[in-house]
Amino acid sequence: MNRPTIAWTRVGLPRRSFLKGATALGGLATTGLMLPRAAHAAGGTLKTRTYADIRSMDPAFSQGVVDEEIQAAIYNKLIQYKPGREWGWELDAAAMVEQADDTHINFALRDDIGFTNGFGAMTAEDVKFSFERIIDDALESTNKPDWGPLDHVEVTGERTGTIVLKNAFQPLWSITLPYIAGNIVSKAAFESVGGKIDTQPVATSGPYLHAGWEPKQKTTLKRNPDWKGEAVAFDEIQIFHIDDEKAAEIAFEAGEIDFTRVSLDSVERLKSNPIQGATLDEYPSLYYVWVGMNLDNPKLANLKLRQAIQYAIDVPSIMAAAYFGAAEPSTGIIAPGLPGHRDASLTGVNADLEKAQALMAESGESGVSLAIDILNKSANVTAAQIIQANLAAIGITLEIRLHEGATFWELGSNEDLELVLNRFSMTPDPYYATSWFIAEQAGIWNWERFRNDEFDAIHLAAQSEADQAKRAEMYARAQDLMEESGAYKFLTHEATPVIYRNSVIPALRPDGLPLYRYFGAA
Amino acid sequence: MLSFIIKRIGLAAVITALAVTALFLIIHMIPGDPVSTMLGPRATPEMRTALEERMGLDRPLIVQIALFFGNMLRGDLGMDVFSNRPVTQIVLGQVPYTLGLILVSISWAAVLGVALGCYSAVNRNSLGDRLTGVLSVSVIAVPAFVVALYSLLVFAVKLQWFPAIGAGEAGNLGDQLHHLVLPSLAIGLSWVGYIARLVRASMLEVLGEGHIRTARAFGLPEGRVVFGYALRLAILPTVTVIGVGMGFLLSAAVFTEIVFSRPGLGKLVIDSITTRNYPVVMGSVLFSTLIFVVSTTLADIINAILDPRIRAGK
């Protein structure tokens, strides 16, 4: 065998070469290529994270918080959510807004708001256009329900007008005006591009400008130099699309983002090993998680059986194992802080095994075998396993069926559905929660096929009820009805833990979602 | 040579058509309704019907396939129903990120792997050869996502030398390369070991052949014998493996894009499958298939250029 010697194949690192290499590395470091990163917020750029890519910058077609986080910064509304721990709103584009009577809301716009790209000052015509286009059937806006009974907007002056409703609608102040459907766009700008836009705004008016969108990567906002309102803190906001919370946590620890939501299972670690120069805050969430039972399935036709299941499920165990103790048990579909939140549920949060067994005996059922459908998230799997163990204690065998997202969200139409572990998103008004459980929604979003005339009547009446105490009572009663049907065991509203660098003063809604226009620098 | 290339391109077109048809059928057969996902919970039945019509979902599957291929030949892959942007534009916007990641990963892996393979073959059974062997097998055994996570923790979080997320500022090549270091390390590392072992084995075989002995007998410089004659033949299996391995590289890119929150085809495919965004799924799949087919075809052509016996069909 030949074993020729070739000089370059010899491994060797003479002292001079080592020194040369080390010097080169040092050079790289000094040029910044390998320098440790510092927090960015202090430099005038806020770097933050969103869990999904944007879908639309058109308020008529936005579908949730991801779009709205950006829209709230680049557009104006008559009123905006007020940052803090309690739900409320403050004036934005409106200099004045008042409820004249049940169906008339008068407004006057500020005179210092203008649209970009030469589309002029914001007028009442723009407000009329923005709101009425959403209820126009021809536009096919999925946000039409947010405007409920809007009839029209009357323009009474260049910057004054009246929102006219067909009937009283309380959610107007909590989920219409300060949220997606309340964004005011430029009539002239939208008409110049055919009446609707996609991901590229044609004219904006807010304190930040939409400076760029790199799909699947980031959105950049820049300070609007023509903004006459309260000055914003940052020259630029970069919102990175990082879908995985763990990846976002690593990015935060690496100094690349200044603010992010973190996963519930990281809360304990971040508390015991805090990141230097950062603050962890916990906010309650509005989401609601529950175990539903399909009332149309003959296997679950027995009320006593359903009640036995309600009493057998031990919610604190689920909170500890699936949510790592970072979330609290819920009492219904309406979260604390909203009208209609109940202090306690009818079936309690701790399992009452004795009562569950007694109800099982009363039901006359034996050898019961059921299935629970769940979305393939680790918290759901853990929760389902605990429920499986809970039900085994009263003689019920439970099969866990996992589904990926698109498949899971199709299950509502499946008449053979038995138990389901479900989670719905929520806006800060109880009307939004009850709307999914009316009889009309059976088999669509009311997967339990819960039908109750009193519930439907409450849903209809409570949206117009001006007396807040009475309204709260109505929604509490609605949740009692849900629970009494035996079709629901409420688990939690989850939680929103967030972490931010101390160089940033975050401005968050009471559910922990960011309001970037109000973010400050420390 | 020309007829060889034409044959390979023809075969590539057939493979692409078959793969895309199969994937079209699979994505339409799995449960999940794109219309619900796209319109959200508050869509009316009229809106659902209108969108189904716009997406062509109300037509028989065979018609949908025929329409897809018809439009594809015209360069029209449809519109993304979420953003109302052309799918071709969306996919082409992501292809450079994935292609760049794959090419940088395989390039550095190939350069280092070939060098180590040559070193091991030339210094067979030496300490260096044995060390290279152990290291090669070790890195082959480590999955890309493990390398990705540990490199993130060490080089991005602890040392903060390299960025943890994103693909860098658009138009800033230096920044983009800086963002490529860790992802390409994650993807390329196991290929270094694999290529090194492959090249070593091929080199040992070729170095023992008659024409190499003849070259040495004529007193040709050793470097020329090894690189000019031996490596030219020994590299053939490596070229083929890299070509065929493009599928594995694409899979690794999916994980890496997610871990590093990089844009790219992998992330686009995952997101669009999750939301049953059929037009984008098909566009992404088409381009992924094209990358695979083009790379294997190129590997065949390079092999044919390097070894005349292949193009002669011997």
Side-chain angles (χ1 to χ4, degrees):
Chain A
M1 172 66 201
N2 291 320
R3 291 191 57 193
T5 305
I6 300 173
W8 66 269
T9 60
R10 284 191 183 139
V11 179
L13 190 60
R15 193 175 61 88
R16 275 177 196 279
S17 302
F18 174 79
L19 288 173
K20 275 183 194 169
T23 309
L25 279 172
L28 278 175
T30 51
T31 56
L33 193 63
M34 293 170 71
L35 267 183
R37 289 172 294 279
H40 299 269
T45 299
L46 173 69
K47 294 191 175 188
T48 177
R49 168 249 176 176
T50 181
Y51 67 87
D53 211 357
I54 60 168
R55 287 192 175 180
S56 177
M57 283 296 104
D58 188 334
F61 299 99
S62 299
Q63 283 192 11
V65 293
V66 172
D67 293 341
E68 172 58 12
E69 282 172 6
I70 295 165
Q71 291 186 18
I74 63 171
Y75 295 128
N76 289 102
K77 306 174 176 79
L78 293 178
I79 56 173
Q80 292 271 5
Y81 287 125
K82 202 171 166 179
R85 293 279 181 175
E86 284 182 19
W87 289 101
W89 53 265
E90 60 189 27
L91 293 176
D92 177 18
M96 176 281 292
V97 60
E98 61 175 11
Q99 181 114 33
D101 58 44
D102 277 354
T103 55
H104 290 77
I105 294 111
N106 297 329
F107 66 87
L109 292 170
R110 281 163 44 177
D111 61 2
D112 59 354
I113 298 181
F115 287 104
T116 57
N117 297 330
F119 284 101
M122 182 184 286
T123 67
E125 279 295 344
D126 295 313
V127 177
K128 179 181 172 67
F129 172 79
S130 303
F131 297 171
E132 287 184 359
R133 69 189 286 268
I134 290 179
I135 60 163
D136 182 355
D137 286 334
L139 191 70
E140 295 183 344
S141 165
T142 47
N143 294 327
K144 187 180 173 184
D146 282 348
W147 267 110
L150 174 68
D151 189 73
H152 67 281
V153 177
E154 212 168 288
V155 175
T156 54
E158 192 184 356
R159 291 192 185 84
T160 57
T162 303
I163 298 166
V164 182
L165 306 175
K166 289 174 189 150
N167 53 267
F169 187 60
Q170 296 306 320
L172 188 89
W173 297 98
S174 50
I175 61 174
T176 308
L177 292 176
Y179 199 47
I180 297 170
N183 284 305
I184 302 166
V185 298
S186 162
K187 181 182 177 185
F190 269 60
E191 285 181 346
S192 73
V193 291
K196 62 180 182 181
I197 60 165
D198 40 62
T199 50
Q200 182 60 45
V202 59
T204 61
S205 61
Y208 287 101
L209 302 173
H210 186 273
W213 173 53
E214 293 166 51
K216 305 281 167 200
Q217 194 166 190
K218 71 173 176 184
T219 299
T220 305
L221 309 179
K222 284 201 167 142
R223 184 194 295 270
N224 179 357
D226 297 326
W227 174 247
K228 302 288 192 300
E230 198 172 321
V232 291
F234 299 101
D235 296 329
E236 190 170 299
I237 299 178
Q238 294 180 359
I239 305 168
F240 290 89
H241 169 198
I242 309 174
D243 16 15
D244 183 51
E245 268 169 3
K246 294 290 178 197
E249 286 164 25
I250 288 175
F252 185 86
E253 290 190 54
E256 292 194 47
I257 52 175
D258 305 306
F259 169 85
T260 181
R261 186 198 144 110
V262 295
S263 57
L264 294 177
D265 61 344
S266 295
V267 170
E268 199 47 50
R269 175 179 66 84
L270 292 167
K271 275 181 181 169
S272 52
N273 292 300
I275 298 173
Q276 204 181 1
T279 302
L280 176 77
D281 259 348
E282 290 173 82
Y283 284 76
S285 159
L286 292 181
Y287 283 94
Y288 49 98
V289 182
W290 76 99
V291 174
M293 291 170 244
N294 180 6
L295 297 174
D296 281 0
N297 191 315
K299 288 173 85 173
L300 288 158
N302 190 328
L303 173 65
K304 297 290 180 193
L305 171 67
R306 299 197 301 269
Q307 287 176 331
I309 293 171
Q310 284 179 314
Y311 281 101
I313 295 174
D314 190 51
V315 183
S317 303
I318 296 172
M319 294 305 101
Y323 295 94
F324 308 94
E328 293 294 322
S330 61
T331 61
I333 54 177
I334 299 167
L338 298 183
H341 168 71
R342 300 184 301 173
D343 290 335
S345 61
L346 302 179
T347 53
V349 293
N350 292 304
D352 186 340
L353 210 57
E354 216 170 282
K355 190 161 186 177
Q357 279 164 342
L359 283 162
M360 261 317 265
E362 277 181 57
S363 76
E365 304 265 1
S366 61
V368 179
S369 178
L370 294 166
I372 187 166
D373 291 280
I374 64 169
L375 187 63
N376 59 352
K377 302 274 181 194
S378 61
N380 294 340
V381 176
T382 309
Q385 286 168 342
I386 291 166
I387 294 165
Q388 190 178 43
N390 290 157
L391 298 193
I394 57 167
I396 297 174
T397 307
L398 188 69
E399 180 199 348
I400 299 170
R401 295 194 293 224
L402 261 83
H403 305 269
E404 58 87 42
T407 315
F408 179 80
W409 294 112
E410 280 304 295
L411 291 175
S413 58
N414 178 5
E415 290 175 0
D416 297 327
L417 192 75
E418 294 174 13
L419 268 65
V420 63
L421 180 60
N422 218 336
R423 173 185 184 266
F424 277 7
S425 62
M426 175 66 175
T427 57
D429 194 279
Y431 155 82
Y432 193 85
T434 52
S435 63
W436 309 113
F437 300 98
I438 55 176
E440 194 184 301
Q441 286 287 331
I444 305 172
W445 291 102
N446 175 357
W447 295 10
E448 294 76 20
R449 289 156 173 86
F450 163 70
R451 298 175 187 87
N452 185 295
D453 291 341
E454 188 186 347
F455 181 92
D456 288 6
I458 290 174
H459 171 70
L460 201 63
Q463 62 180 275
S464 303
E465 181 54 61
D467 182 334
Q468 288 305 308
K470 199 172 168 193
R471 191 167 184 245
E473 268 176 41
M474 292 165 90
Y475 283 116
R477 173 66 186 148
Q479 290 168 96
D480 287 348
L481 290 169
M482 291 174 80
E483 209 173 350
E484 280 165 8
S485 75
Y488 301 90
K489 179 67 182 179
F490 304 114
L491 300 182
T492 182
H493 293 290
E494 300 186 340
T496 312
V498 297
I499 193 162
Y500 53 91
R501 237 163 272 295
N502 292 342
S503 55
V504 172
I505 303 169
L508 308 174
R509 301 185 342 175
D511 58 353
L513 298 179
L515 296 161
Y516 290 126
R517 60 158 54 202
Y518 300 125
F519 266 56
Chain B
M1 186 67 190
L2 186 65
S3 68
F4 175 84
I5 292 173
I6 290 169
K7 272 185 207 164
R8 282 292 178 274
I9 290 174
L11 190 63
V14 173
I15 291 169
T16 306
L18 287 174
V20 170
T21 306
L23 289 163
F24 191 98
L25 292 172
I26 290 168
I27 187 73
H28 281 76
M29 276 193 284
I30 56 173
D33 174 21
V35 173
S36 298
T37 314
M38 287 169 190
L39 290 179
R42 296 187 295 180
T44 61
E46 293 75 30
M47 286 178 192
R48 294 173 57 86
T49 308
L51 183 57
E52 276 172 3
E53 277 175 24
R54 272 210 304 279
M55 291 179 73
L57 296 173
D58 55 334
R59 300 177 188 186
L61 204 54
I62 188 76
V63 176
Q64 291 183 44
I65 295 176
L67 278 173
F68 176 78
F69 276 107
N71 291 335
M72 187 186 83
L73 291 174
R74 290 198 301 272
D76 175 13
L77 295 176
M79 302 292 279
D80 170 19
V81 191
F82 284 133
S83 65
N84 211 29
R85 295 164 64 223
V87 171
T88 314
Q89 184 191 333
I90 292 172
V91 177
L92 283 176
Q94 302 299 307
V95 167
Y97 292 110
T98 302
L99 217 49
L101 177 60
I102 288 175
L103 289 177
V104 169
S105 306
I106 201 63
S107 299
W108 81 263
V111 169
L112 193 57
V114 169
L116 287 173
C118 289
Y119 170 82
S120 290
V122 171
N123 297 281
R124 189 182 181 187
N125 294 332
S126 66
L127 179 63
D129 175 32
R130 286 188 182 129
L131 271 177
T132 307
V134 171
L135 282 174
S136 299
V137 175
S138 305
V139 295
I140 290 169
V142 184
F145 71 90
V146 174
V147 182
L149 286 172
Y150 277 96
S151 61
L152 263 178
L153 292 173
V154 175
F155 297 111
V157 176
K158 185 77 182 164
L159 299 170
Q160 300 201 346
W161 285 357
F162 298 102
I165 52 162
E169 288 295 325
N172 184 343
L173 187 64
D175 191 41
Q176 289 180 344
L177 286 173
H178 194 204
H179 279 78
L180 262 176
V181 175
L182 294 185
S184 66
L185 174 75
I187 294 180
L189 194 61
S190 61
W191 280 87
V192 175
Y194 193 43
I195 292 171
R197 299 314 290 165
L198 202 63
V199 170
R200 180 186 183 274
S202 304
M203 281 292 279
L204 285 177
E205 194 182 324
V206 175
L207 284 171
E209 285 185 10
H211 72 284
I212 299 293
R213 280 200 301 275
T214 309
R216 283 187 177 133
F218 274 101
L220 290 177
E222 193 56 34
R224 192 169 166 197
V225 173
V226 171
F227 296 115
Y229 295 100
L231 185 59
R232 185 178 167 139
L233 281 182
I235 201 78
L236 293 179
T238 306
V239 171
T240 308
V241 164
I242 289 174
V244 177
M246 204 46 98
F248 295 103
L249 283 164
L250 278 167
S251 315
V254 173
F255 288 112
T256 312
E257 282 166 7
I258 289 167
V259 172
F260 288 94
S261 297
R262 283 179 62 86
L265 267 184
K267 206 168 169 209
L268 186 68
V269 170
I270 297 287
D271 288 350
S272 49
I273 287 177
T274 309
T275 54
R276 300 292 189 273
N277 192 345
Y278 290 163
V280 179
V281 172
M282 289 315 300
S284 318
V285 161
L286 173 68
F287 276 87
S288 305
T289 311
L290 281 175
I291 290 174
F292 178 75
V293 168
V294 167
S295 63
T296 48
T297 308
L298 275 178
D300 284 350
I301 293 170
I302 292 169
N303 274 341
I305 292 167
L306 291 172
D307 187 351
R309 290 171 299 182
I310 293 174
R311 58 178 182 264
K314 289 175 186 169

